[in-house]
Amino acid sequence: MSAALESVISRLGPIAVAVSGGVDSLTLATIAHRTSAEPPLMVHAVSPAVPGEATERVRAEAAREGWRLRVIEAGEFADPAYRENPVNRCFFCKTNLYGAIRRVTDRRIVSGANLDDLGEYRPGLDAAREHGVRHPFVEASFSKAMVRALARDLGLGAVAELPAAPCLSSRVETGIRIEPETLAFIHAVERLVGEDLTVTGAKRAVRCRVRAAGIVVELDPQSLASLPEGAQADLGRRIAACAPARLSDAPVSFAPYRTGSAFLTGGLRPGGPPR
């Protein structure tokens, strides 16, 4: 399965891997490091939108595998277009990320995007195209399931079972300004709720959505069913108690998990170049 991927990577020449700390980029970084004639440069960006656990995971894998790692600040929070949170916010996020990587290396930048990503609204891929970023998993026809299988084959057991974890800004409804304290609250809520759940691994989904109508905690079906009404009410009070001032009056509710439900794509000005 990995022969096609190794062939793609070998033809790219010296590469810099954008490593977010999720299963896709960590798996790509691992196989690239183990098979490339010239060891790749790994680049990880820290930001209020990146949970600290992701950075810790990248540092741990780098130490274990012997990666050459650069940790940088992408600077997206200095970009007013990003902070406005338009429907194509990811375009501005990735534009800042790839621009920051380019400032530290002239190597070919590669990402962990896979075939499943092509079927979703991903304006970040437009930014990747503008920066000449390559996607080895896409070029080798790898789906998300194949990436997880490869991670297991590489001995990345815990990484292979990581739940999907898009950036914290993805939890903020389109049009609501991105604030660092909002993202810190979202992260704290997801950790708080996660401690009360018995579901673990790739099937677990916990998303704290900040919407104009209030705070919504979305859970996978099994986790939601495990929280009776009384437990939800108790969690809701604990969540409200740690909310920042701007959200102190926001109601808290629970709902089934829906992928990308904070994106409102209808009737909004994109705020940037068209796809």
Side-chain angles (χ1 to χ4, degrees), residues 110-122:
V110 299
S111 89
N114 59 71
L115 289 179
D116 290 22
D117 298 323
L118 303 184
E120 301 175 352
Y121 176 53
R122 296 275 182 147

Side-chain angles (χ1 to χ4, degrees), residues 212-268:
I215 300 162
V216 182
V217 178
E218 294 184 352
L219 300 172
D220 61 274
Q222 187 177 345
S223 295
L224 187 59
S226 72
L227 288 177
E229 190 172 319
Q232 291 185 18
D234 176 64
L235 260 178
R237 286 190 289 272
R238 292 156 61 193
I239 290 170
C242 62
R246 59 177 296 272
L247 296 173
S248 59
D249 295 327
V252 179
S253 61
F254 292 78
Y257 168 62
R258 291 184 295 126
T259 303
S261 70
F263 280 105
L264 302 180
T265 58
L268 289 177

Side-chain angles (χ1 to χ4, degrees), residues 87-243:
V87 69
N88 62 341
R89 183 199 62 250
C90 293
F91 173 84
F92 301 105
C93 174
K94 297 300 185 184
T95 294
N96 281 282
L97 171 65
Y98 297 136
I101 295 176
R102 179 55 66 222
R103 287 192 288 276
V104 301
T105 181
D106 60 359
R107 291 170 171 239
R108 170 77 69 183
I109 302 171
V110 299
S111 89
N114 59 71
L115 289 179
D116 290 22
D117 298 323
L118 303 184
E120 301 175 352
Y121 176 53
R122 296 275 182 147
L125 293 176
D126 295 333
R129 184 166 50 252
E130 291 185 4
H131 285 78
V133 175
R134 299 281 291 269
H135 312 295
F137 284 138
V138 173
E139 295 178 39
S141 299
F142 268 58
S143 65
K144 184 79 171 189
M146 293 169 69
V147 173
R148 290 192 186 279
L150 176 60
R152 296 185 191 100
D153 290 344
L154 294 172
L156 304 176
V159 170
E161 305 308 321
L162 285 173
C167 80
L168 295 171
S169 293
S170 69
R171 278 75 151 167
V172 183
E173 190 171 83
T174 302
I176 298 177
R177 182 176 169 81
I178 301 295
E179 301 288 0
E181 59 268 28
T182 302
L183 303 190
F185 167 69
I186 288 170
H187 187 217
V189 169
E190 293 185 356
R191 288 174 60 95
L192 174 68
V193 175
E195 290 171 358
D196 280 27
L197 300 178
T198 56
V199 178
T200 60
K203 292 183 178 180
R204 189 171 87 171
V206 181
R207 297 287 187 276
C208 173
R209 309 292 193 192
V210 172
R211 303 184 183 282
I215 300 162
V216 182
V217 178
E218 294 184 352
L219 300 172
D220 61 274
Q222 187 177 345
S223 295
L224 187 59
S226 72
L227 288 177
E229 190 172 319
Q232 291 185 18
D234 176 64
L235 260 178
R237 286 190 289 272
R238 292 156 61 193
I239 290 170
C242 62

Side-chain angles (χ1 to χ4, degrees), residues 6-24:
E6 292 175 27
S7 176
V8 168
I9 293 172
S10 69
R11 294 195 300 269
L12 292 174
I15 59 173
V17 184
V19 187
S20 68
V23 58
D24 302 317

